[in-house]
Amino acid sequence: MIPNFLRRENQHKTGEMKKAINKYIEHFGNDLITETASYSEEEWIKILNYCVENNITIWEYWGEEYDPKADY
């Protein structure tokens, strides 16, 4: 079975996700953690673009404070 992110029909979303992540990191720095979240790629793209457009970090979006010492 081929994972969803490798399927041809999902290639565009994966590229959009990479662009959204890169734009976020360029804007805020590298405090973004996406691996453990249960959002779909489409949801992540919307959230990350929203954060950059509104100048809020993902942590502010979630109503939390980023802790660099935490093991997320």
Side-chain angles (χ1 to χ4, degrees):
M1 184 165 172
I2 299 173
N4 283 340
F5 71 92
L6 289 177
R7 292 180 184 217
R8 187 174 306 192
E9 64 268 19
N10 294 328
Q11 294 279 324
H12 178 70
K13 285 184 187 174
T14 300
E16 291 297 315
M17 177 71 169
K18 288 179 185 177
K19 284 196 313 191
I21 289 171
N22 289 337
K23 188 165 54 167
Y24 180 94
I25 290 172
E26 286 176 18
H27 191 80
F28 293 109
N30 197 12
D31 66 350
L32 179 62
I33 298 168
T34 59
E35 291 83 6
T36 59
S38 59
Y39 297 118
S40 69
E41 281 192 22
E42 187 174 299
E43 291 170 315
W44 267 116
I45 292 166
K46 288 179 183 178
I47 291 168
L48 295 176
N49 287 330
Y50 176 87
C51 287
V52 171
E53 291 167 6
N54 292 283
N55 198 35
I56 61 170
T57 67
I58 192 70
W59 303 99
E60 291 169 315
Y61 179 86
W62 287 331
E64 296 181 29
E65 192 170 323
Y66 175 68
D67 182 0
K69 295 178 184 174
D71 182 23
Y72 291 101

